[in-house]
Amino acid sequence: MFDLIILGGGPAGYNAAERAGSAGLNTLLIEKRALGGVCLNEGCIPSKTLLYSAKLYSHALHSEKYGVYTEGARIDHAAVIARKDRTVKTLTSGIAASMKAHKVNVVYGEARILGRAEGGFEVAVGEEKHIGAKLLICTGSEALVPPIEGLRDSVAAGFALTNREILALTELPEKLCVIGGGVIGLEMASYFNSVGTKVTVVEMMDRIAGQTDIDISNLLKDIYTAKGVDFRLGAKVVSVGSGAVVYEKDGEKVTVEADKVLVSIGRRANTAGIGLENIGVLTERGAIVTDEQMKTNVPGVFAAGDVNGKSMLAHTAYREGEVAVNTMIGVRDRMDYSAVPAVIYTDPEAASVGETEETAKKKGIDIVVKKLPMSYSGRYLAENEGGKGICKVILSKEGNRLLGVSMLANPAGEIITAATAMIGREFRAADVQKVIFPHPTVAEVIRESVF
Ligand code: NAI
């Protein structure tokens, strides 16, 4: 009998397990594949490891404008993958050690909720059965593979890949067709373009990078077009197979030849096969319905991370796991989705938090938009010869409150934390102006932008 059984050891699950362990809850964590989940094993961390190698290589190739000559620079993709594997191993062993340190019991296998039992809920892992007074479901998400003609067969044959397989490729394809110009599509397009693969991105919408600010989306597209990525927008894929992707645009069919295809058109929550129906957990469009304390409709059952379909980001998952455990142990807490930062780790990085011009206008908020080129920062200029980054700040007209920040620049993914804190703390322009930013830094542009 456990106080808490957690299904899934990704960012939501392992972070919640640590919290629960330190709070003294007798906790069981069940993981079917590897601790760390998608993020650590086949998502965030592996991709960032690859992208860092690509960035170094690209800097070496273009170092002359900084007066540095690096003849003979080359990239060894197999070595990059080997380093990625080592990095992942270091981190996953770290989580295993942390589970031990927090006295969390870890069982490997597929968990299935069997039903209610005296004192809680019964969960099976293979032949074993466990009872938990409370359940926290953190089973994550998987790549969406829609019923496009030939796509599922292409995945089975290894011609089409999801995030999982592409991060394990040991040989570089000559031609890669990326279906979906969202976060995964762009990060992978960025890596493979940097290492010399011919990349075509086929995107259904007429823009890339989904909800990203439109100016940043357009700029990112121009930057990557100049680097050689071929974007086909407003293009609906109709079939995949035999070394090609066929899409339809304006009533015409167009064929893109490829050695490999990446399917990155979104993810779906892993709610099937875990026995939710046995205790009556409510789902909506395939994701578990949760409130702001991560409670499901069943008292004692919580869900955090991608499985609730709210934000599908590792950092949201961490926080949701924490909120769930706090709620269980009686610490007042609630999830606030108004300041969740998002980063696309292209080169340059695109990062944003809060409202964009479009989302604010859609909500009917009266706003003031401030836009500055990143060249306002001396450090940015020093380090980004010919860089085209921008910073966009959204303020409410009434009260001059900071509602959103979007940036395209390196290292926007790091800087955005400052904006996240300011928005979370409901800063007004005057409050931002009083913050002392170190000089010279790229982050200073945020302060400049609100004037
Ligand atoms: P996404 O939702 O970011 O992008 C999917 C794209 O595919 C959209 O632009 C959509 O219009 C397009 N699309 C959908 N159906 C299509 C079709 N049939 N043909 C052509 N295009 C089509 O999804 P993605 O990139 O797969 O990422 C999945 C999740 O993982 C996201 O929720 C994302 O936030 C998360 N993620 C976050 C990362 C980060 O924070 N840096 C990195 C990677 C993933």
Side-chain angles (χ1 to χ4, degrees):
M1 174 84 191
F2 291 96
D3 297 324
L4 171 64
I5 298 182
I6 302 175
L7 286 71
Y14 75 72
N15 192 46
E18 285 172 1
R19 300 278 154 165
S22 14
L25 298 185
N26 183 18
T27 305
L28 173 67
L29 175 68
I30 308 171
E31 167 55 50
K32 77 167 175 187
R33 203 172 266 122
L35 286 179
V38 170
C39 172
L40 234 91
N41 295 282
E42 53 202 44
C44 324
I45 304 299
S47 58
K48 262 78 273 174
T49 318
L50 265 59
L51 286 164
Y52 185 68
S53 293
K55 194 188 272 182
L56 278 184
Y57 179 52
S58 166
H59 282 186
L61 293 183
H62 303 108
S63 60
E64 288 180 16
K65 53 189 176 187
Y66 300 96
V68 178
Y69 298 85
T70 54
E71 283 89 353
R74 65 185 187 89
I75 188 160
D76 176 350
H77 178 70
V80 173
I81 294 290
R83 175 172 175 270
K84 179 266 294 182
D85 290 339
R86 289 195 300 276
T87 310
V88 169
K89 204 166 166 215
T90 306
L91 288 168
T92 46
S93 352
I95 294 178
S98 165
M99 291 303 109
K100 248 192 196 151
H102 289 90
K103 299 191 171 52
V104 174
N105 302 279
V106 179
V107 168
Y108 290 91
E110 226 170 303
R112 186 171 160 76
I113 304 165
L114 297 177
R116 289 166 198 277
E118 198 170 324
F121 306 91
E122 190 173 35
V123 179
V125 192
E127 299 295 300
E128 285 174 35
K129 284 178 187 164
H130 302 281
I131 293 177
K134 289 195 168 56
L135 296 184
L136 175 57
I137 304 166
C138 308
T139 46
S141 66
E142 62 178 17
L144 200 64
V145 182
I148 293 172
E149 188 191 316
L151 182 57
R152 287 182 182 164
D153 289 343
S154 295
V155 170
F159 170 53
L161 316 168
T162 68
N163 59 295
R164 177 174 297 159
E165 299 85 35
I166 198 155
L167 290 165
L169 268 189
T170 46
E171 272 178 40
L172 287 174
E174 248 175 64
K175 288 176 268 175
L176 173 70
C177 180
V178 175
I179 308 179
V183 193
I184 296 183
L186 290 174
E187 290 187 2
M188 287 298 96
S190 173
Y191 175 76
F192 285 95
N193 167 258
S194 305
V195 299
T197 294
K198 173 83 197 93
V199 180
T200 306
V201 176
V202 181
E203 165 57 54
M204 203 159 67
M205 296 200 295
D206 55 6
R207 63 192 285 180
I208 59 165
Q211 300 303 309
T212 305
D213 172 86
I214 190 66
D215 290 333
I216 288 181
S217 161
N218 286 336
L219 204 46
L220 195 59
K221 188 178 105 248
D222 293 347
I223 290 170
Y224 272 90
T225 301
K227 290 186 188 199
V229 174
D230 185 355
F231 289 99
R232 313 284 176 95
L233 303 186
K236 189 169 183 284
V237 174
V238 290
S239 73
V240 179
S242 312
V245 169
V246 179
Y247 68 82
E248 221 173 66
K249 184 176 165 131
D250 304 329
E252 271 181 44
K253 283 190 177 162
V254 184
T255 301
V256 178
E257 287 179 8
D259 304 305
K260 292 284 180 201
V261 174
L262 170 66
V263 197
S264 48
I265 58 172
R267 301 183 65 82
R268 66 155 189 225
N270 288 329
T271 50
I274 52 174
L276 295 181
E277 61 287 355
N278 295 336
I279 50 170
V281 174
L282 194 68
T283 60
E284 210 174 81
R285 274 180 284 134
I288 297 181
V289 180
T290 50
D291 67 6
E292 57 180 19
Q293 291 178 308
M294 316 328 298
K295 290 181 195 150
T296 69
N297 62 310
V298 179
V301 180
F302 296 71
D306 286 12
V307 76
N308 66 31
K310 286 215 159 86
S311 132
M312 293 216 172
L313 292 166
H315 41 279
T316 309
Y318 279 128
R319 180 74 190 116
E320 287 178 343
E322 197 170 87
V323 169
V325 173
N326 279 341
T327 305
M328 290 176 206
I329 61 175
V331 173
R332 256 177 75 140
D333 204 355
R334 59 177 278 274
M335 197 56 206
D336 175 7
Y337 295 96
S338 64
V340 176
V343 183
I344 308 178
Y345 294 84
T346 40
D347 185 13
E349 295 170 3
S352 57
V353 61
E355 305 290 347
T356 62
E357 191 175 350
E358 279 170 300
T359 59
K361 281 183 180 160
K362 244 186 220 160
K363 290 178 190 167
I365 308 171
D366 244 353
I367 53 167
V368 179
V369 180
K370 308 260 185 158
K371 187 158 67 172
L372 278 190
M374 291 306 299
S375 51
Y376 265 69
S377 152
R379 184 173 185 199
Y380 179 84
L381 262 191
E383 296 179 357
N384 296 273
E385 186 68 34
K388 292 196 181 107
I390 56 167
C391 177
K392 252 177 110 169
V393 165
I394 311 296
L395 296 163
S396 64
K397 205 170 231 169
E398 203 193 328
N400 242 358
R401 227 184 90 194
L402 185 64
L403 299 179
V405 175
S406 297
M407 298 176 92
L408 184 70
N410 286 332
E414 298 294 335
I415 296 167
I416 207 69
T417 311
T420 305
M422 292 179 204
I423 292 174
R425 298 286 155 205
E426 303 187 352
F427 270 32
R428 291 169 192 279
D431 302 314
V432 179
Q433 285 161 7
K434 284 181 202 147
V435 175
I436 301 174
F437 285 79
H439 177 77
T441 54
V442 181
E444 284 174 293
V445 175
I446 295 179
R447 188 172 174 275
E448 293 296 322
S449 299
V450 301
F451 277 97

